[in-house]
Amino acid sequence: MNSDCERILLDEKTIQARVKEVAAQLDKLYEGRKPVVVCILKGSVVFFVDLIRNMKTPCELDFMAVSSYGAGTASTGELKVKKDLAADITGRDVLIVEDIIDSGNTLYHLKKMLNARAPASVNIVTLLDKPSRRQAPMEPEYTCFEIEDEFVIGYGLDYTEDYRNLPYVGILKRSVYEK
Ligand code: PRP
């Protein structure tokens, strides 16, 4: 375990088993269709790659980078699009792949923005959800794990850009971010 971790919250085996299960649910949902699967950079990249490799549904891949406006670590307000989709999603089924939903502000605004482009459907799959932190009315269609309000890192999630490549989700030691 990385020495900056307090403990492992979700180990590699647990994550991989759950990702397989959710991929099978998505295969059922999209049977006979070809969704545009959207990776929200950067945090969701690891989950995205594992998820699509477990899905049998033919799909198109696309990438977006967004951030909520607002000071400090809390995200509020409108969405800033740093990188938009390459695909025209008019009439398409869109699956947004996220690593974590916290306040819900990012996905609330993102879903609204993508819905304005007249897709056939927009669904959200998230690796982690912290429902206790919610500010915006945002419920993902698929959640791998609901978690408590802990500072999590690894499997795509960072603290100041570190720890994204850990194969598990860990809880960061307070001493790391309070120093
Ligand atoms: C994280 C996460 C979501 C957002 C969730 O991204 O990937 O996009 O925050 O927070 P919210 O529900 O409070 O809006 P972050 O801005 O940390 O960027 P990153 O994925 O590049 O690390």
PDB file of all heavy atoms in Angstrom, residues 1 5 7-19 47 99-100 126-129 143-148 150 152-155 157 166-171:
ATOM      1  N   MET A   1       0.848  -1.205   0.000  1.00  0.00           N
ATOM      2  CA  MET A   1       0.000   0.000   0.000  1.00  0.00           C
ATOM      3  C   MET A   1       0.883   1.255   0.000  1.00  0.00           C
ATOM      4  O   MET A   1       1.904   1.287   0.677  1.00  0.00           O
ATOM      5  CB  MET A   1      -0.903  -0.028   1.244  1.00  0.00           C
ATOM      6  CG  MET A   1      -1.859   1.141   1.315  1.00  0.00           C
ATOM      7  SD  MET A   1      -2.973   1.064   2.741  1.00  0.00           S
ATOM      8  CE  MET A   1      -1.893   1.564   4.071  1.00  0.00           C
ATOM      9  N   CYS A   5      -1.358   6.464   2.167  1.00  0.00           N
ATOM     10  CA  CYS A   5      -2.724   5.943   2.370  1.00  0.00           C
ATOM     11  C   CYS A   5      -2.954   5.580   3.830  1.00  0.00           C
ATOM     12  O   CYS A   5      -2.121   4.920   4.448  1.00  0.00           O
ATOM     13  CB  CYS A   5      -2.914   4.660   1.551  1.00  0.00           C
ATOM     14  SG  CYS A   5      -3.626   4.923  -0.036  1.00  0.00           S
ATOM     15  N   ARG A   7      -5.769   3.788   4.633  1.00  0.00           N
ATOM     16  CA  ARG A   7      -6.162   2.398   4.417  1.00  0.00           C
ATOM     17  C   ARG A   7      -6.748   2.239   3.006  1.00  0.00           C
ATOM     18  O   ARG A   7      -7.100   3.249   2.377  1.00  0.00           O
ATOM     19  CB  ARG A   7      -7.183   1.931   5.464  1.00  0.00           C
ATOM     20  CG  ARG A   7      -8.505   2.653   5.423  1.00  0.00           C
ATOM     21  CD  ARG A   7      -9.414   2.216   6.569  1.00  0.00           C
ATOM     22  NE  ARG A   7     -10.582   3.069   6.644  1.00  0.00           N
ATOM     23  CZ  ARG A   7     -11.739   2.829   6.039  1.00  0.00           C
ATOM     24  NH1 ARG A   7     -11.880   1.753   5.288  1.00  0.00           N
ATOM     25  NH2 ARG A   7     -12.756   3.670   6.162  1.00  0.00           N
ATOM     26  N   ILE A   8      -6.846   0.998   2.576  1.00  0.00           N
ATOM     27  CA  ILE A   8      -7.467   0.725   1.280  1.00  0.00           C
ATOM     28  C   ILE A   8      -8.976   0.627   1.485  1.00  0.00           C
ATOM     29  O   ILE A   8      -9.438  -0.101   2.372  1.00  0.00           O
ATOM     30  CB  ILE A   8      -6.891  -0.565   0.653  1.00  0.00           C
ATOM     31  CG1 ILE A   8      -5.423  -0.328   0.264  1.00  0.00           C
ATOM     32  CG2 ILE A   8      -7.708  -0.986  -0.570  1.00  0.00           C
ATOM     33  CD1 ILE A   8      -4.719  -1.519  -0.322  1.00  0.00           C
ATOM     34  N   LEU A   9      -9.722   1.387   0.699  1.00  0.00           N
ATOM     35  CA  LEU A   9     -11.183   1.354   0.805  1.00  0.00           C
ATOM     36  C   LEU A   9     -11.755   0.284  -0.121  1.00  0.00           C
ATOM     37  O   LEU A   9     -12.627  -0.492   0.270  1.00  0.00           O
ATOM     38  CB  LEU A   9     -11.753   2.737   0.449  1.00  0.00           C
ATOM     39  CG  LEU A   9     -13.262   2.903   0.559  1.00  0.00           C
ATOM     40  CD1 LEU A   9     -13.706   2.760   2.015  1.00  0.00           C
ATOM     41  CD2 LEU A   9     -13.694   4.277   0.025  1.00  0.00           C
ATOM     42  N   LEU A  10     -11.260   0.255  -1.358  1.00  0.00           N
ATOM     43  CA  LEU A  10     -11.720  -0.735  -2.346  1.00  0.00           C
ATOM     44  C   LEU A  10     -10.499  -1.342  -3.002  1.00  0.00           C
ATOM     45  O   LEU A  10      -9.727  -0.630  -3.667  1.00  0.00           O
ATOM     46  CB  LEU A  10     -12.584  -0.044  -3.410  1.00  0.00           C
ATOM     47  CG  LEU A  10     -13.847   0.676  -2.905  1.00  0.00           C
ATOM     48  CD1 LEU A  10     -14.394   1.627  -3.971  1.00  0.00           C
ATOM     49  CD2 LEU A  10     -14.916  -0.325  -2.501  1.00  0.00           C
ATOM     50  N   ASP A  11     -10.299  -2.628  -2.803  1.00  0.00           N
ATOM     51  CA  ASP A  11      -9.104  -3.229  -3.393  1.00  0.00           C
ATOM     52  C   ASP A  11      -9.355  -3.576  -4.867  1.00  0.00           C
ATOM     53  O   ASP A  11     -10.492  -3.519  -5.354  1.00  0.00           O
ATOM     54  CB  ASP A  11      -8.613  -4.431  -2.581  1.00  0.00           C
ATOM     55  CG  ASP A  11      -9.610  -5.583  -2.551  1.00  0.00           C
ATOM     56  OD1 ASP A  11     -10.431  -5.694  -3.470  1.00  0.00           O
ATOM     57  OD2 ASP A  11      -9.570  -6.367  -1.592  1.00  0.00           O
ATOM     58  N   GLU A  12      -8.265  -3.928  -5.525  1.00  0.00           N
ATOM     59  CA  GLU A  12      -8.292  -4.163  -6.965  1.00  0.00           C
ATOM     60  C   GLU A  12      -9.325  -5.220  -7.351  1.00  0.00           C
ATOM     61  O   GLU A  12     -10.085  -5.048  -8.309  1.00  0.00           O
ATOM     62  CB  GLU A  12      -6.888  -4.628  -7.368  1.00  0.00           C
ATOM     63  CG  GLU A  12      -6.518  -4.244  -8.760  1.00  0.00           C
ATOM     64  CD  GLU A  12      -5.075  -4.612  -9.085  1.00  0.00           C
ATOM     65  OE1 GLU A  12      -4.232  -4.749  -8.168  1.00  0.00           O
ATOM     66  OE2 GLU A  12      -4.805  -4.781 -10.280  1.00  0.00           O
ATOM     67  N   LYS A  13      -9.359  -6.315  -6.580  1.00  0.00           N
ATOM     68  CA  LYS A  13     -10.263  -7.423  -6.885  1.00  0.00           C
ATOM     69  C   LYS A  13     -11.727  -6.998  -6.778  1.00  0.00           C
ATOM     70  O   LYS A  13     -12.556  -7.318  -7.625  1.00  0.00           O
ATOM     71  CB  LYS A  13      -9.979  -8.575  -5.893  1.00  0.00           C
ATOM     72  CG  LYS A  13      -9.944  -9.928  -6.542  1.00  0.00           C
ATOM     73  CD  LYS A  13      -9.514 -10.975  -5.548  1.00  0.00           C
ATOM     74  CE  LYS A  13     -10.613 -12.040  -5.474  1.00  0.00           C
ATOM     75  NZ  LYS A  13     -10.379 -13.013  -4.411  1.00  0.00           N
ATOM     76  N   THR A  14     -12.025  -6.253  -5.731  1.00  0.00           N
ATOM     77  CA  THR A  14     -13.393  -5.765  -5.497  1.00  0.00           C
ATOM     78  C   THR A  14     -13.823  -4.837  -6.629  1.00  0.00           C
ATOM     79  O   THR A  14     -14.941  -4.931  -7.141  1.00  0.00           O
ATOM     80  CB  THR A  14     -13.451  -5.006  -4.146  1.00  0.00           C
ATOM     81  OG1 THR A  14     -12.943  -5.872  -3.136  1.00  0.00           O
ATOM     82  CG2 THR A  14     -14.850  -4.551  -3.811  1.00  0.00           C
ATOM     83  N   ILE A  15     -12.923  -3.940  -7.021  1.00  0.00           N
ATOM     84  CA  ILE A  15     -13.256  -2.997  -8.099  1.00  0.00           C
ATOM     85  C   ILE A  15     -13.493  -3.756  -9.402  1.00  0.00           C
ATOM     86  O   ILE A  15     -14.498  -3.551 -10.082  1.00  0.00           O
ATOM     87  CB  ILE A  15     -12.127  -1.950  -8.300  1.00  0.00           C
ATOM     88  CG1 ILE A  15     -11.981  -1.071  -7.057  1.00  0.00           C
ATOM     89  CG2 ILE A  15     -12.414  -1.078  -9.532  1.00  0.00           C
ATOM     90  CD1 ILE A  15     -10.767  -0.139  -7.093  1.00  0.00           C
ATOM     91  N   GLN A  16     -12.568  -4.653  -9.743  1.00  0.00           N
ATOM     92  CA  GLN A  16     -12.680  -5.358 -11.029  1.00  0.00           C
ATOM     93  C   GLN A  16     -13.957  -6.194 -11.109  1.00  0.00           C
ATOM     94  O   GLN A  16     -14.613  -6.240 -12.156  1.00  0.00           O
ATOM     95  CB  GLN A  16     -11.445  -6.248 -11.268  1.00  0.00           C
ATOM     96  CG  GLN A  16     -10.133  -5.478 -11.421  1.00  0.00           C
ATOM     97  CD  GLN A  16     -10.154  -4.452 -12.549  1.00  0.00           C
ATOM     98  OE1 GLN A  16     -10.820  -4.618 -13.560  1.00  0.00           O
ATOM     99  NE2 GLN A  16      -9.418  -3.362 -12.372  1.00  0.00           N
ATOM    100  N   ALA A  17     -14.326  -6.831  -9.998  1.00  0.00           N
ATOM    101  CA  ALA A  17     -15.544  -7.654  -9.993  1.00  0.00           C
ATOM    102  C   ALA A  17     -16.778  -6.783 -10.209  1.00  0.00           C
ATOM    103  O   ALA A  17     -17.691  -7.135 -10.965  1.00  0.00           O
ATOM    104  CB  ALA A  17     -15.655  -8.402  -8.667  1.00  0.00           C
ATOM    105  N   ARG A  18     -16.806  -5.627  -9.572  1.00  0.00           N
ATOM    106  CA  ARG A  18     -17.961  -4.727  -9.685  1.00  0.00           C
ATOM    107  C   ARG A  18     -18.029  -4.098 -11.087  1.00  0.00           C
ATOM    108  O   ARG A  18     -19.114  -3.938 -11.649  1.00  0.00           O
ATOM    109  CB  ARG A  18     -17.864  -3.646  -8.601  1.00  0.00           C
ATOM    110  CG  ARG A  18     -19.013  -2.686  -8.573  1.00  0.00           C
ATOM    111  CD  ARG A  18     -20.318  -3.324  -8.132  1.00  0.00           C
ATOM    112  NE  ARG A  18     -21.403  -2.357  -8.179  1.00  0.00           N
ATOM    113  CZ  ARG A  18     -22.581  -2.569  -8.738  1.00  0.00           C
ATOM    114  NH1 ARG A  18     -22.875  -3.749  -9.249  1.00  0.00           N
ATOM    115  NH2 ARG A  18     -23.488  -1.617  -8.764  1.00  0.00           N
ATOM    116  N   VAL A  19     -16.865  -3.758 -11.636  1.00  0.00           N
ATOM    117  CA  VAL A  19     -16.832  -3.172 -12.982  1.00  0.00           C
ATOM    118  C   VAL A  19     -17.398  -4.178 -13.994  1.00  0.00           C
ATOM    119  O   VAL A  19     -18.171  -3.808 -14.883  1.00  0.00           O
ATOM    120  CB  VAL A  19     -15.388  -2.728 -13.358  1.00  0.00           C
ATOM    121  CG1 VAL A  19     -15.289  -2.356 -14.837  1.00  0.00           C
ATOM    122  CG2 VAL A  19     -14.956  -1.543 -12.500  1.00  0.00           C
ATOM    123  N   PHE A  47     -11.113   3.972 -14.826  1.00  0.00           N
ATOM    124  CA  PHE A  47     -12.413   3.277 -14.794  1.00  0.00           C
ATOM    125  C   PHE A  47     -12.958   3.087 -16.207  1.00  0.00           C
ATOM    126  O   PHE A  47     -13.441   2.004 -16.570  1.00  0.00           O
ATOM    127  CB  PHE A  47     -13.374   4.109 -13.926  1.00  0.00           C
ATOM    128  CG  PHE A  47     -14.795   3.635 -13.908  1.00  0.00           C
ATOM    129  CD1 PHE A  47     -15.103   2.288 -13.736  1.00  0.00           C
ATOM    130  CD2 PHE A  47     -15.844   4.543 -14.032  1.00  0.00           C
ATOM    131  CE1 PHE A  47     -16.432   1.860 -13.709  1.00  0.00           C
ATOM    132  CE2 PHE A  47     -17.162   4.121 -13.997  1.00  0.00           C
ATOM    133  CZ  PHE A  47     -17.456   2.772 -13.853  1.00  0.00           C
ATOM    134  N   ASP A  99     -15.660   9.329 -12.549  1.00  0.00           N
ATOM    135  CA  ASP A  99     -14.998   8.619 -11.443  1.00  0.00           C
ATOM    136  C   ASP A  99     -15.711   8.856 -10.119  1.00  0.00           C
ATOM    137  O   ASP A  99     -15.845   7.941  -9.314  1.00  0.00           O
ATOM    138  CB  ASP A  99     -13.509   8.988 -11.341  1.00  0.00           C
ATOM    139  CG  ASP A  99     -13.286  10.479 -11.205  1.00  0.00           C
ATOM    140  OD1 ASP A  99     -14.138  11.260 -11.668  1.00  0.00           O
ATOM    141  OD2 ASP A  99     -12.267  10.890 -10.637  1.00  0.00           O
ATOM    142  N   ILE A 100     -16.166  10.104  -9.897  1.00  0.00           N
ATOM    143  CA  ILE A 100     -16.794  10.388  -8.602  1.00  0.00           C
ATOM    144  C   ILE A 100     -17.824  11.509  -8.723  1.00  0.00           C
ATOM    145  O   ILE A 100     -17.619  12.452  -9.489  1.00  0.00           O
ATOM    146  CB  ILE A 100     -15.717  10.726  -7.532  1.00  0.00           C
ATOM    147  CG1 ILE A 100     -16.340  10.829  -6.134  1.00  0.00           C
ATOM    148  CG2 ILE A 100     -14.932  11.978  -7.876  1.00  0.00           C
ATOM    149  CD1 ILE A 100     -15.310  10.738  -5.004  1.00  0.00           C
ATOM    150  N   THR A 126     -21.055   6.015 -12.750  1.00  0.00           N
ATOM    151  CA  THR A 126     -19.968   6.522 -11.922  1.00  0.00           C
ATOM    152  C   THR A 126     -19.343   5.401 -11.116  1.00  0.00           C
ATOM    153  O   THR A 126     -20.041   4.476 -10.684  1.00  0.00           O
ATOM    154  CB  THR A 126     -20.459   7.659 -10.998  1.00  0.00           C
ATOM    155  OG1 THR A 126     -19.316   8.237 -10.330  1.00  0.00           O
ATOM    156  CG2 THR A 126     -21.436   7.195  -9.933  1.00  0.00           C
ATOM    157  N   LEU A 127     -18.041   5.495 -10.942  1.00  0.00           N
ATOM    158  CA  LEU A 127     -17.356   4.521 -10.090  1.00  0.00           C
ATOM    159  C   LEU A 127     -17.775   4.736  -8.642  1.00  0.00           C
ATOM    160  O   LEU A 127     -18.183   3.804  -7.965  1.00  0.00           O
ATOM    161  CB  LEU A 127     -15.835   4.688 -10.225  1.00  0.00           C
ATOM    162  CG  LEU A 127     -15.021   3.793  -9.296  1.00  0.00           C
ATOM    163  CD1 LEU A 127     -15.033   2.354  -9.787  1.00  0.00           C
ATOM    164  CD2 LEU A 127     -13.592   4.300  -9.169  1.00  0.00           C
ATOM    165  N   LEU A 128     -17.687   5.995  -8.185  1.00  0.00           N
ATOM    166  CA  LEU A 128     -17.972   6.303  -6.783  1.00  0.00           C
ATOM    167  C   LEU A 128     -19.037   7.373  -6.672  1.00  0.00           C
ATOM    168  O   LEU A 128     -19.119   8.267  -7.516  1.00  0.00           O
ATOM    169  CB  LEU A 128     -16.700   6.832  -6.096  1.00  0.00           C
ATOM    170  CG  LEU A 128     -15.453   5.960  -6.162  1.00  0.00           C
ATOM    171  CD1 LEU A 128     -14.269   6.690  -5.541  1.00  0.00           C
ATOM    172  CD2 LEU A 128     -15.684   4.627  -5.461  1.00  0.00           C
ATOM    173  N   ASP A 129     -19.831   7.278  -5.634  1.00  0.00           N
ATOM    174  CA  ASP A 129     -20.824   8.318  -5.357  1.00  0.00           C
ATOM    175  C   ASP A 129     -20.775   8.640  -3.870  1.00  0.00           C
ATOM    176  O   ASP A 129     -20.711   7.740  -3.032  1.00  0.00           O
ATOM    177  CB  ASP A 129     -22.229   7.826  -5.746  1.00  0.00           C
ATOM    178  CG  ASP A 129     -23.270   8.946  -5.681  1.00  0.00           C
ATOM    179  OD1 ASP A 129     -22.875  10.119  -5.480  1.00  0.00           O
ATOM    180  OD2 ASP A 129     -24.468   8.652  -5.824  1.00  0.00           O
ATOM    181  N   THR A 143     -24.180   3.194 -10.462  1.00  0.00           N
ATOM    182  CA  THR A 143     -23.129   3.512  -9.490  1.00  0.00           C
ATOM    183  C   THR A 143     -22.423   2.218  -9.107  1.00  0.00           C
ATOM    184  O   THR A 143     -23.083   1.238  -8.772  1.00  0.00           O
ATOM    185  CB  THR A 143     -23.753   4.125  -8.212  1.00  0.00           C
ATOM    186  OG1 THR A 143     -24.433   5.337  -8.574  1.00  0.00           O
ATOM    187  CG2 THR A 143     -22.703   4.455  -7.170  1.00  0.00           C
ATOM    188  N   CYS A 144     -21.115   2.230  -9.151  1.00  0.00           N
ATOM    189  CA  CYS A 144     -20.391   1.025  -8.715  1.00  0.00           C
ATOM    190  C   CYS A 144     -20.349   0.949  -7.194  1.00  0.00           C
ATOM    191  O   CYS A 144     -20.653  -0.094  -6.625  1.00  0.00           O
ATOM    192  CB  CYS A 144     -18.988   1.004  -9.298  1.00  0.00           C
ATOM    193  SG  CYS A 144     -18.971   0.815 -11.085  1.00  0.00           S
ATOM    194  N   PHE A 145     -19.975   2.059  -6.545  1.00  0.00           N
ATOM    195  CA  PHE A 145     -19.877   2.043  -5.081  1.00  0.00           C
ATOM    196  C   PHE A 145     -20.333   3.374  -4.483  1.00  0.00           C
ATOM    197  O   PHE A 145     -19.860   4.428  -4.913  1.00  0.00           O
ATOM    198  CB  PHE A 145     -18.420   1.823  -4.641  1.00  0.00           C
ATOM    199  CG  PHE A 145     -17.784   0.582  -5.176  1.00  0.00           C
ATOM    200  CD1 PHE A 145     -16.973   0.642  -6.301  1.00  0.00           C
ATOM    201  CD2 PHE A 145     -17.986  -0.645  -4.560  1.00  0.00           C
ATOM    202  CE1 PHE A 145     -16.365  -0.501  -6.816  1.00  0.00           C
ATOM    203  CE2 PHE A 145     -17.392  -1.797  -5.065  1.00  0.00           C
ATOM    204  CZ  PHE A 145     -16.582  -1.725  -6.193  1.00  0.00           C
ATOM    205  N   GLU A 146     -21.228   3.293  -3.498  1.00  0.00           N
ATOM    206  CA  GLU A 146     -21.553   4.484  -2.693  1.00  0.00           C
ATOM    207  C   GLU A 146     -20.568   4.516  -1.547  1.00  0.00           C
ATOM    208  O   GLU A 146     -20.318   3.485  -0.911  1.00  0.00           O
ATOM    209  CB  GLU A 146     -22.975   4.378  -2.131  1.00  0.00           C
ATOM    210  CG  GLU A 146     -24.015   4.829  -3.114  1.00  0.00           C
ATOM    211  CD  GLU A 146     -25.381   5.050  -2.475  1.00  0.00           C
ATOM    212  OE1 GLU A 146     -25.508   4.987  -1.229  1.00  0.00           O
ATOM    213  OE2 GLU A 146     -26.326   5.278  -3.240  1.00  0.00           O
ATOM    214  N   ILE A 147     -20.009   5.687  -1.282  1.00  0.00           N
ATOM    215  CA  ILE A 147     -19.006   5.774  -0.206  1.00  0.00           C
ATOM    216  C   ILE A 147     -19.331   6.925   0.748  1.00  0.00           C
ATOM    217  O   ILE A 147     -20.088   7.834   0.408  1.00  0.00           O
ATOM    218  CB  ILE A 147     -17.570   5.936  -0.766  1.00  0.00           C
ATOM    219  CG1 ILE A 147     -17.443   7.240  -1.579  1.00  0.00           C
ATOM    220  CG2 ILE A 147     -17.171   4.734  -1.597  1.00  0.00           C
ATOM    221  CD1 ILE A 147     -15.995   7.613  -1.900  1.00  0.00           C
ATOM    222  N   GLU A 148     -18.707   6.870   1.935  1.00  0.00           N
ATOM    223  CA  GLU A 148     -18.833   7.956   2.912  1.00  0.00           C
ATOM    224  C   GLU A 148     -17.992   9.138   2.440  1.00  0.00           C
ATOM    225  O   GLU A 148     -17.219   9.024   1.497  1.00  0.00           O
ATOM    226  CB  GLU A 148     -18.307   7.486   4.280  1.00  0.00           C
ATOM    227  CG  GLU A 148     -19.020   6.270   4.850  1.00  0.00           C
ATOM    228  CD  GLU A 148     -20.472   6.567   5.176  1.00  0.00           C
ATOM    229  OE1 GLU A 148     -20.744   7.646   5.732  1.00  0.00           O
ATOM    230  OE2 GLU A 148     -21.331   5.725   4.856  1.00  0.00           O
ATOM    231  N   GLU A 150     -15.117  10.593   2.532  1.00  0.00           N
ATOM    232  CA  GLU A 150     -13.700  10.414   2.847  1.00  0.00           C
ATOM    233  C   GLU A 150     -12.872  10.991   1.703  1.00  0.00           C
ATOM    234  O   GLU A 150     -13.348  11.076   0.577  1.00  0.00           O
ATOM    235  CB  GLU A 150     -13.354   8.920   2.938  1.00  0.00           C
ATOM    236  CG  GLU A 150     -14.251   8.102   3.816  1.00  0.00           C
ATOM    237  CD  GLU A 150     -13.678   7.879   5.192  1.00  0.00           C
ATOM    238  OE1 GLU A 150     -12.852   8.703   5.639  1.00  0.00           O
ATOM    239  OE2 GLU A 150     -14.044   6.885   5.814  1.00  0.00           O
ATOM    240  N   VAL A 152     -10.666  10.316  -0.965  1.00  0.00           N
ATOM    241  CA  VAL A 152     -10.225   9.116  -1.669  1.00  0.00           C
ATOM    242  C   VAL A 152      -9.269   9.433  -2.817  1.00  0.00           C
ATOM    243  O   VAL A 152      -9.402  10.456  -3.493  1.00  0.00           O
ATOM    244  CB  VAL A 152     -11.424   8.287  -2.197  1.00  0.00           C
ATOM    245  CG1 VAL A 152     -12.045   7.462  -1.096  1.00  0.00           C
ATOM    246  CG2 VAL A 152     -12.473   9.166  -2.869  1.00  0.00           C
ATOM    247  N   ILE A 153      -8.337   8.523  -3.014  1.00  0.00           N
ATOM    248  CA  ILE A 153      -7.341   8.652  -4.087  1.00  0.00           C
ATOM    249  C   ILE A 153      -7.158   7.279  -4.761  1.00  0.00           C
ATOM    250  O   ILE A 153      -7.553   6.260  -4.212  1.00  0.00           O
ATOM    251  CB  ILE A 153      -5.968   9.098  -3.532  1.00  0.00           C
ATOM    252  CG1 ILE A 153      -5.569   8.208  -2.342  1.00  0.00           C
ATOM    253  CG2 ILE A 153      -5.963  10.572  -3.172  1.00  0.00           C
ATOM    254  CD1 ILE A 153      -4.097   8.157  -2.081  1.00  0.00           C
ATOM    255  N   GLY A 154      -6.524   7.319  -5.928  1.00  0.00           N
ATOM    256  CA  GLY A 154      -6.196   6.075  -6.623  1.00  0.00           C
ATOM    257  C   GLY A 154      -7.247   5.687  -7.644  1.00  0.00           C
ATOM    258  O   GLY A 154      -8.337   6.248  -7.678  1.00  0.00           O
ATOM    259  N   TYR A 155      -6.905   4.744  -8.509  1.00  0.00           N
ATOM    260  CA  TYR A 155      -7.780   4.266  -9.581  1.00  0.00           C
ATOM    261  C   TYR A 155      -8.342   5.469 -10.368  1.00  0.00           C
ATOM    262  O   TYR A 155      -9.530   5.574 -10.629  1.00  0.00           O
ATOM    263  CB  TYR A 155      -8.904   3.381  -9.009  1.00  0.00           C
ATOM    264  CG  TYR A 155      -9.563   2.490 -10.045  1.00  0.00           C
ATOM    265  CD1 TYR A 155      -8.897   1.416 -10.609  1.00  0.00           C
ATOM    266  CD2 TYR A 155     -10.866   2.742 -10.458  1.00  0.00           C
ATOM    267  CE1 TYR A 155      -9.505   0.621 -11.570  1.00  0.00           C
ATOM    268  CE2 TYR A 155     -11.484   1.951 -11.421  1.00  0.00           C
ATOM    269  CZ  TYR A 155     -10.791   0.896 -11.966  1.00  0.00           C
ATOM    270  OH  TYR A 155     -11.416   0.103 -12.919  1.00  0.00           O
ATOM    271  N   LEU A 157      -8.276   8.691  -9.326  1.00  0.00           N
ATOM    272  CA  LEU A 157      -8.500   9.875  -8.474  1.00  0.00           C
ATOM    273  C   LEU A 157      -7.182  10.409  -7.914  1.00  0.00           C
ATOM    274  O   LEU A 157      -6.311   9.628  -7.525  1.00  0.00           O
ATOM    275  CB  LEU A 157      -9.429   9.509  -7.316  1.00  0.00           C
ATOM    276  CG  LEU A 157     -10.853   9.199  -7.754  1.00  0.00           C
ATOM    277  CD1 LEU A 157     -11.254   7.813  -7.320  1.00  0.00           C
ATOM    278  CD2 LEU A 157     -11.811  10.239  -7.221  1.00  0.00           C
ATOM    279  N   LEU A 166      -2.588   4.353  -8.857  1.00  0.00           N
ATOM    280  CA  LEU A 166      -2.730   3.249  -7.899  1.00  0.00           C
ATOM    281  C   LEU A 166      -3.866   2.344  -8.376  1.00  0.00           C
ATOM    282  O   LEU A 166      -4.903   2.841  -8.803  1.00  0.00           O
ATOM    283  CB  LEU A 166      -3.057   3.783  -6.490  1.00  0.00           C
ATOM    284  CG  LEU A 166      -2.021   4.694  -5.832  1.00  0.00           C
ATOM    285  CD1 LEU A 166      -2.535   5.195  -4.485  1.00  0.00           C
ATOM    286  CD2 LEU A 166      -0.698   3.960  -5.665  1.00  0.00           C
ATOM    287  N   PRO A 167      -3.718   1.027  -8.280  1.00  0.00           N
ATOM    288  CA  PRO A 167      -4.755   0.124  -8.806  1.00  0.00           C
ATOM    289  C   PRO A 167      -5.957  -0.054  -7.889  1.00  0.00           C
ATOM    290  O   PRO A 167      -6.880  -0.787  -8.210  1.00  0.00           O
ATOM    291  CB  PRO A 167      -3.999  -1.196  -8.980  1.00  0.00           C
ATOM    292  CG  PRO A 167      -2.884  -1.131  -8.005  1.00  0.00           C
ATOM    293  CD  PRO A 167      -2.506   0.316  -7.856  1.00  0.00           C
ATOM    294  N   TYR A 168      -5.943   0.594  -6.730  1.00  0.00           N
ATOM    295  CA  TYR A 168      -7.035   0.490  -5.748  1.00  0.00           C
ATOM    296  C   TYR A 168      -7.491   1.894  -5.351  1.00  0.00           C
ATOM    297  O   TYR A 168      -6.836   2.896  -5.693  1.00  0.00           O
ATOM    298  CB  TYR A 168      -6.552  -0.255  -4.497  1.00  0.00           C
ATOM    299  CG  TYR A 168      -5.251   0.291  -3.944  1.00  0.00           C
ATOM    300  CD1 TYR A 168      -5.242   1.425  -3.123  1.00  0.00           C
ATOM    301  CD2 TYR A 168      -4.021  -0.281  -4.286  1.00  0.00           C
ATOM    302  CE1 TYR A 168      -4.050   1.952  -2.641  1.00  0.00           C
ATOM    303  CE2 TYR A 168      -2.830   0.246  -3.806  1.00  0.00           C
ATOM    304  CZ  TYR A 168      -2.850   1.366  -2.984  1.00  0.00           C
ATOM    305  OH  TYR A 168      -1.671   1.899  -2.532  1.00  0.00           O
ATOM    306  N   VAL A 169      -8.625   1.979  -4.641  1.00  0.00           N
ATOM    307  CA  VAL A 169      -9.072   3.258  -4.083  1.00  0.00           C
ATOM    308  C   VAL A 169      -8.691   3.254  -2.601  1.00  0.00           C
ATOM    309  O   VAL A 169      -9.078   2.347  -1.853  1.00  0.00           O
ATOM    310  CB  VAL A 169     -10.597   3.458  -4.240  1.00  0.00           C
ATOM    311  CG1 VAL A 169     -11.066   4.712  -3.501  1.00  0.00           C
ATOM    312  CG2 VAL A 169     -10.977   3.549  -5.726  1.00  0.00           C
ATOM    313  N   GLY A 170      -7.910   4.260  -2.213  1.00  0.00           N
ATOM    314  CA  GLY A 170      -7.465   4.354  -0.820  1.00  0.00           C
ATOM    315  C   GLY A 170      -7.935   5.648  -0.191  1.00  0.00           C
ATOM    316  O   GLY A 170      -8.371   6.571  -0.882  1.00  0.00           O
ATOM    317  N   ILE A 171      -7.839   5.691   1.138  1.00  0.00           N
ATOM    318  CA  ILE A 171      -8.155   6.923   1.861  1.00  0.00           C
ATOM    319  C   ILE A 171      -6.840   7.615   2.187  1.00  0.00           C
ATOM    320  O   ILE A 171      -5.925   6.996   2.743  1.00  0.00           O
ATOM    321  CB  ILE A 171      -8.964   6.601   3.131  1.00  0.00           C
ATOM    322  CG1 ILE A 171     -10.301   5.996   2.687  1.00  0.00           C
ATOM    323  CG2 ILE A 171      -9.173   7.857   3.983  1.00  0.00           C
ATOM    324  CD1 ILE A 171     -11.188   5.541   3.799  1.00  0.00           C
TER     325      ILE A 171
END
